[in-house]
Amino acid sequence: MTDVPNKRESHDTISRRRIMQTTGAGAAFLAAGCLGEDTDPDEGDPLGDDDSDDGIDDPSSVFVEGMGANSSTLDVHGEPRVPNSIVHESIYENLFVMSPDLEVVPHLVDEWEVTDGASQFDFYLKEGITFHDGNDLTAEMAAANFERMLDISPRASLLGPVDSIEVVDEYHLRFEYEDAFPVLPRNLSDSMAGILSIDAVEAEGDTYGQGAAVGTGPFVFEEWERDERIVLTRNEEYDWGPDFLSNTGPAHFEEIHFRHVPENTTLFNELTVGDVDGTTYVPTESADEVAGHENTSLERSDFPHPSYLAMNVTNPPTDEIEVRKAIGHAVNRDAVIEAALSGEATPIRSIVPPLSIDALDEEETSELGIDYNPDQARDLLESAGWTNDAEGEVRTRDGEDLEVMFTAFTIDRYSQIGEVVQAMLGEVGFDVDLNILEAGTLYDRLEGSEHNITTMSWSTADYALTILDAILSGDSVATEGGSNYAIWDNDEFNGLLETAATAVDEDVRIEAVKDAQRVVLDEVPVHPIATYTKHYGYKNSVDADGWFDHPWWSNEHQLHRLEVNL
């Protein structure tokens, strides 16, 4: 989600006026990004023979997390992708966290104050918090982190149009804005606003995140065996977990191994025989088997995690609104969910799911959203001059075929959605060139705007503003390194996002974010499909009491790892 205009201007001091479109971000810990790793299996068993040395001397002291996709960096300010953040959240921490009551509460902050105009924030850091390298968490260290975010983070917009970040004294940090930015505390709970050791960054240079990762969290980075596993060890000094946890530290087990298991069948087998303790990568088609197996249990949760088609509004023919609407009418959401997601999803009409905070109500999205109606799709294409001689034949206009370039990740659910939707579009006259691509190639295509449609999803989906900012803001277009794969830059929409992030009056902010959703429904840069059902499969021997108490447990990895016993 890199936004080049949001990166820090060249200044020698912290103080600046950054000219940018302000956008808020939610308080969930999973800075998601899309699940964009290649999950094609390597030849043979990626975990090796059962008799091989897996590096575990005492299995009872190690929690093995099965990962269906590889991490690409351990730098918390790096790429916002799910495999990265799942690991990051045990290493790094934030100034604020979200409680089970869905309230943003201080974590590494002891006390904080905000002016009536929400333009100055004073944070008094907890004393005695130490990084894994022995450094203390001070205001100077925190300020340097936020400076680094402004320089390099794809989520620099979390900090808004900050004028200055001032170190008032050793543990007193001050943010100042020319105008109001009331969403700052909740933005600072986003996992991509995590705090790292600047000394470690300076020591490692540009390679930080590949061989070193130093935070204040309950686990310490130990080693990374590429394409195999990442090993974290217990932080024995950790005792500052949030008060709402039953265990505030240290963790009950000694190590976490994040093992890369890219093939679904292998992951299922490893879980059910007990070589994997838990995984969020339960294949949808295996969910019932995991739930019913004598050795494993499964947690399901409705979750505001939208899956959608992003339609490139800058490339013909998806630059035409009639074509984008026709694509929407051609897609049968229920059929996609059954065929591609094994029924483990809920259809949605808005990119902001009903479970998200500040979402439009379902009655309005039902009225404004696009539903399956292939005849309406054909009528729209006809009115736009795309005609054919018989139903099912490719449409043409001025001698050109109605052809779209459709890209999708190799991960099963994305590729399967692509295959099902490809057939549906063919029924109304599209010639669909579907390309199933590994993550690196796919992102290169998207950033080069070499697509018409792509399958996507977004995981940080607690607040409506979070979703809209990341998926559709003008500051997040993919051609500039962001996650707006519709390449959509709408002035009205961007202005509403700014109001939603900066208005002091909460009612004004809420109405602005709802109006922004209405603009999206009218302009159709994306076509929402469903929210995934979140799964967590785990061995019965894992004591998960309290693990799923948080209503968004699937985004609270680092907290729950403090609670778990083996």
Side-chain angles (χ1 to χ4, degrees), residues 19-218:
I19 301 174
M20 58 174 277
Q21 187 71 34
T22 59
T23 51
F29 293 94
L30 191 58
C34 300
L35 284 171
E37 296 287 348
D38 181 1
T39 60
D40 286 342
D42 297 324
E43 291 186 5
D45 181 357
L47 298 177
D49 187 87
D50 288 342
D51 295 328
S52 65
D53 180 11
D54 63 5
I56 302 176
D57 296 324
D58 178 7
S60 66
S61 69
V62 175
F63 189 93
V64 179
E65 183 88 7
M67 301 285 287
N70 256 331
S71 296
S72 61
T73 180
L74 298 180
D75 185 345
V76 71
H77 301 151
E79 293 178 300
R81 298 169 66 185
V82 169
N84 297 342
S85 61
I86 288 176
V87 180
H88 294 171
E89 291 166 2
S90 289
I91 301 172
Y92 304 105
E93 297 186 289
N94 295 71
L95 297 191
F96 289 80
V97 298
M98 180 179 283
S99 76
D101 297 324
L102 304 185
E103 294 180 355
V104 176
V105 296
H107 177 47
L108 298 181
V109 168
D110 191 26
E111 296 179 356
W112 64 290
E113 300 169 353
V114 58
T115 61
D116 289 341
S119 61
Q120 178 178 304
F121 296 82
D122 287 275
F123 302 120
Y124 302 89
L125 305 183
K126 288 182 178 178
E127 299 184 26
I129 305 295
T130 56
F131 289 91
H132 304 151
D133 59 5
N135 282 302
D136 291 332
L137 173 62
T138 63
E140 183 178 1
M141 185 74 80
N145 267 265
F146 297 124
E147 272 293 287
R148 186 173 189 261
M149 280 185 64
L150 295 174
D151 274 337
I152 71 167
S153 174
R155 297 293 280 143
S157 62
L158 289 168
L159 302 183
V162 60
D163 275 340
S164 66
I165 303 172
E166 179 185 355
V167 177
V168 181
D169 60 34
E170 187 174 10
Y171 295 102
H172 182 183
L173 181 68
R174 175 176 292 160
F175 281 73
E176 289 191 295
Y177 296 81
E178 182 175 315
D179 301 310
F181 194 66
V183 297
L184 178 64
R186 92 173 187 213
N187 285 8
L188 293 179
S189 72
D190 189 291
S191 64
M192 286 208 69
I195 304 294
L196 47 70
S197 169
I198 292 298
D199 283 4
V201 172
E202 292 175 351
E204 294 293 318
D206 292 340
T207 64
Y208 181 83
Q210 297 303 314
V214 182
T216 65

Side-chain angles (χ1 to χ4, degrees), residues 536-557:
Y536 196 88
Y538 59 99
K539 296 192 308 188
N540 291 336
S541 58
V542 172
D543 179 0
D545 285 350
W547 198 352
F548 305 105
D549 289 346
H550 195 291
W552 290 336
W553 56 264
S554 51
N555 266 11
E556 302 298 325
H557 299 287

Side-chain angles (χ1 to χ4, degrees), residues 251-410:
H252 296 303
F253 49 87
E254 294 180 3
E255 298 182 7
I256 305 176
H257 292 193
F258 297 94
R259 281 185 23 196
H260 182 218
V261 191
E263 205 279 318
N264 285 344
T265 301
T266 304
L267 181 55
F268 172 78
N269 290 337
E270 292 295 322
L271 178 64
T272 54
V273 301
D275 291 336
V276 164
D277 293 299
T279 180
T280 58
Y281 287 84
V282 175
T284 53
E285 67 272 14
S286 302
D288 287 338
E289 285 187 86
V290 172
H293 197 280
E294 62 181 357
N295 296 331
T296 56
S297 298
L298 182 82
E299 284 289 331
R300 283 181 167 95
S301 176
D302 291 331
F303 193 77
H305 178 167
S307 171
Y308 61 97
L309 304 178
M311 296 179 282
N312 188 340
V313 303
T314 66
N315 278 352
T318 47
D319 58 340
E320 302 173 38
I321 191 169
E322 294 87 356
V323 171
R324 299 198 299 272
K325 287 182 176 180
I327 290 169
H329 284 302
V331 174
N332 184 334
R333 293 184 179 93
D334 291 331
V336 171
I337 289 169
E338 288 302 318
L341 302 172
S342 303
E344 297 278 341
T346 302
I348 54 173
R349 295 180 177 88
S350 171
I351 194 62
V352 178
L355 287 175
S356 297
I357 296 171
D358 300 335
L360 290 176
D361 63 56
E362 292 187 73
E363 182 178 352
E364 184 169 3
T365 59
S366 179
E367 177 184 347
L368 299 178
I370 293 178
D371 281 326
Y372 176 58
N373 187 334
D375 289 336
Q376 181 66 21
R378 296 183 184 101
D379 290 343
L380 283 165
L381 294 172
E382 288 283 344
S383 68
W386 295 101
T387 62
N388 58 9
D389 295 327
E391 188 172 306
E393 289 186 359
V394 175
R395 293 175 179 272
T396 62
R397 185 176 70 187
D398 300 328
E400 297 288 335
D401 286 348
L402 181 59
E403 183 177 5
V404 291
M405 174 67 73
F406 193 167
T407 61
F409 291 112
T410 51

